Every structure is written in structure tokens, then in C-alpha cells.
Amino acid sequence: MMIKITVVTLVMLTAAGSSVLAQTPTPSPSLEQRVSDLEAYLNNSARGADGANATTPSNVSGPGPGHNAWLMTSALLVLFMTLPGLALFYGGLVRQKNVLSILAQCLGIAGLVTILWWAIGYSLVFAHGCSFFGGTRFAFLRGVTAAPNTDYSYWVSHNVFAMYQLMFAIITPALIIGSVAERMKFSAVMLIVGLWMFLVYFPLAHMVWGIDGLMNGVWNPNARIRAIDFAGGTVVHMSSGWSALLLCLFLGPRLGFRKEIMAPHSMVLCMVGTGMLWVGWYGFNAGSALGADGIAANAFMTTTLATAVASFTWAALEWLLRGKPSVLGFSAALLSSLRPADLSMPTVPLLSACWRGRFRFSPVPN
């Protein structure tokens, strides 16, 4: 009897000891590590606990409030560029009968791309995969939580990062519609945009921005092409510009071209849209720093100076050579400085036609 009790007691003591060992708290970070983590937050850099061999967790393990707030604000600014900025800018450049068509296309693209992004697009771009496509790890935004995805940012929530990148995905195909304005049905635009996202945007965005992308010269040490795309010069502007050019050549000129006047119907709408695009571009450029840091500050200042110089210089040239500046000159030059590689809007043809006197617009009064 005594032997049985002793055996039972030993078993119970062993189980209790194992439970105590299992419940042993993880080591707390030292004062030095806690201070280092705060410095990392201020400098928008990695914590000590973010390293591959780190054993001690950080007391500052979540997103950084300041960086998160700036990226959420930037996401709103980039969406503001499409709705209503780009819609009004393009809407003012077309004839009056086609304004609602442009507005509907911008709204349709925003909805369609958002659904594709949620279902599979974000995963195809930013999940681990091959050199050309990401995987399906984040399909339906599975696992995209408030915790940072340290593949891309140490202090921005994963879901905030995903929504910020969504705004780039929305505006990129919206840029293309300027080249097919007044020449394509709404249903055809939606079909082409849906196919274009899978054939062009998703693979190109992964190759340039994805963690293991073929051309990601920032995060992928094995990238075969060491490209650095800070704010979409390749992924957004070149992809939309070349695609727009091909569509424009494929469709040909508008019906009645060179036979009837096709001047923009409202330079007021065009100017309002231009102003919204300038404001929104601070989120586009400065937000691409993925934090409220010195890089964002430099991008903010550069955006302001480049835009002001370009718009004023073009207007001054018009004033000097044609007698008066025009609202179109201000607007087109301003947009050209913000996206110099983007040929998706009819800025260059319009400016050329204006310069040769084909169209005449109301000048700015003296």
C-alpha cells in the first residue's frame, strides 16, 4: 500500500514540476533593450527583438502610433487623388456629354480593384512566392492583422500597409482611362481593368516591391535587377503610361476627330481636380517612406518645390510666347511634375495641340 502511495505521489510531483516549468515567464527585456526599442521607433528602424536570433520579446512589440497615423492619413490622401481628384481632372478635359462616363469609370475601378485586392491581389503582390508572383498566404486578407509585417515595415500595422498599397492599385488603372476617354464602353473598361490587374499590375508590383521579387533592389538581396522604386515610378506610372499608349493606338482617334471641336468642356473642373491631385500626392510620395521620418520630410518638400516650379514655368512660357497663360497650361504642367513618366492622360497631345493653335482655351485674365 505504501509503495502505491509513493508512486502516485512521485507522479503528481513530476507533473506539477513540469507544469511550473511550462509556466515559467519569458525573460523581460533589459532597460538597455527598452531604450533601444524607443530609439528604433523614433528612427523608424528595426527593434532588437525583430532579429532572427532574438530571444527576448520587446515591450514595444506593436505598431508605432505616429507611423501608423501617418500611413493611414497617406492612404486617405491617395484615395482622394482618384475620388474625386482624377475623376474631376479627366471629367473637365472631356466633352460635356461624357463627364458622367468618366466619373462612373473611376467609381467602378475603385470598387473592382478593392474586391480583387481583398480576394487575392494583395497576396499575389506582397506574400512570399517566386520572382514573378507572390503566393496565396494572404488570400482574402487572411492573417493581415494590426501587427506589423516586418518584411516591409517594423512600425506600421500589416492591415494599414495593405490598405495603403490598395490605393496605389486603385489609381493605377484609373490613370489609363484618360487615353480611352469617349471611346470605350463602361463594360469594356471594367473587363480590361480586371484582366490588366492580373496580367500587368500584380506581377509587376511583386517583381519590384515584393519581398522576393525579381527586381526588388531594396529588400531582396538576390534580385537579378537591382531596381529601386520609391513611390511607383515603375509600378504605377510606367505600367499605366505604356498600357494607355497601346490602348490609344489600338482604338485610334475619336469619331469626328479633326472635323469637330473637342475642347475640354470645363477648365474649372480640371483645375479643381488638379488641386486635389497635388494635395493627394503628398500621401503618394511622402507616405511611401512608410513612416513619419526624415525620408518622408524630404519627399514632402520635393513634391512641393517640383510642382510649383513646373506649373509656374510652363505658365510663364505661355505668357511670354502666346501673350497669356492658360489654366490648362498650369494644370498639365503641374501634373507632369508630379508624374513625369505617366503618359496615360492626354496631357502631351493636348499641350501640343494647344501650342500649335489647334485648340483655344480661355486664358487667365490679367
Side-chain angles (χ1 to χ4, degrees), residues 304-315:
T304 305
L305 295 178
T307 306
V309 170
S311 61
F312 189 82
T313 300
W314 182 268

Side-chain angles (χ1 to χ4, degrees), residues 38-366:
L38 289 175
E39 291 178 346
Y41 168 63
L42 294 175
N43 294 323
N44 196 16
S45 58
R47 314 168 185 80
D50 291 324
N53 299 321
T55 57
T56 305
S58 172
N59 282 353
V60 195
S61 57
H67 300 311
N68 238 18
W70 170 236
L71 210 67
M72 285 188 282
T73 302
S74 297
L76 294 177
L77 288 171
V78 179
L79 180 61
F80 184 66
M81 293 174 67
T82 305
L83 302 172
L86 192 66
L88 291 178
F89 177 75
Y90 281 159
L93 289 176
V94 299
R95 289 170 289 182
Q96 187 173 4
K97 64 179 182 179
N98 294 307
V99 177
L100 289 181
S101 174
I102 292 293
L103 301 185
Q105 289 172 25
C106 287
L107 287 169
I109 287 172
L112 174 62
V113 172
T114 298
I115 294 170
L116 294 178
W117 193 252
W118 162 77
I120 193 65
Y122 176 71
S123 188
L124 291 179
V125 175
F126 290 104
H128 285 259
C130 65
S131 297
F132 301 95
F133 270 107
T136 59
R137 177 184 176 186
F138 300 132
F140 302 103
L141 296 185
R142 181 177 59 249
V144 181
T145 65
N149 179 357
T150 55
D151 282 342
Y152 302 101
S153 176
Y154 298 105
W155 296 102
V156 173
S157 293
H158 194 179
N159 49 16
V160 172
F161 174 79
M163 292 301 99
Y164 178 67
Q165 295 297 338
L166 166 63
M167 305 314 168
F168 283 73
I170 288 175
I171 197 172
T172 305
L175 294 172
I176 297 175
I177 66 173
S179 68
V180 300
E182 305 182 316
R183 285 173 289 175
M184 188 173 287
K185 292 182 179 180
F186 178 82
S187 57
V189 170
M190 293 298 104
L191 176 61
I192 288 177
V193 167
L195 294 174
W196 186 86
M197 294 301 293
F198 284 97
L199 296 176
V200 178
Y201 188 84
F202 294 155
L204 180 61
H206 179 76
M207 285 190 286
V208 177
W209 286 338
I211 187 64
D212 50 5
L214 178 73
M215 297 185 287
N216 190 338
V218 177
W219 297 105
N220 183 11
N222 299 318
R224 295 184 181 181
I225 302 173
R226 308 289 294 176
I228 299 177
D229 186 345
F230 178 73
T234 302
V235 176
V236 177
H237 305 312
M238 291 186 70
S239 67
S240 63
W242 285 110
S243 299
L245 181 60
L246 291 174
L247 279 175
C248 186
L249 295 174
F250 177 77
L251 290 176
R254 293 165 176 80
L255 295 177
F257 183 66
R258 297 182 182 272
K259 296 179 182 179
E260 58 182 277
I261 297 176
M262 296 185 180
H265 90 282
S266 175
M267 293 311 301
V268 173
L269 290 183
C270 181
M271 186 275 158
V272 172
T274 300
M276 292 177 175
L277 286 166
W278 187 351
V279 172
W281 224 280
Y282 289 106
F284 202 101
N285 289 345
S288 292
L290 301 182
D293 56 12
I295 298 175
N298 287 337
F300 194 97
M301 181 181 68
T302 302
T303 301
T304 305
L305 295 178
T307 306
V309 170
S311 61
F312 189 82
T313 300
W314 182 268
L317 288 172
E318 280 191 320
W319 204 343
L320 177 65
L321 299 175
R322 301 191 62 200
K324 289 184 179 180
S326 69
V327 172
L328 177 62
F330 273 114
S331 300
L334 188 152
L335 266 295
S336 298
S337 69
L338 290 172
R339 47 184 180 185
D342 180 17
L343 302 176
S344 59
M345 64 177 182
T347 302
V348 175
L350 278 174
L351 288 178
S352 176
C354 178
W355 189 266
R356 293 194 300 268
R358 181 176 299 169
F359 298 146
R360 295 189 179 275
F361 306 107
S362 300
V364 177
N366 289 329

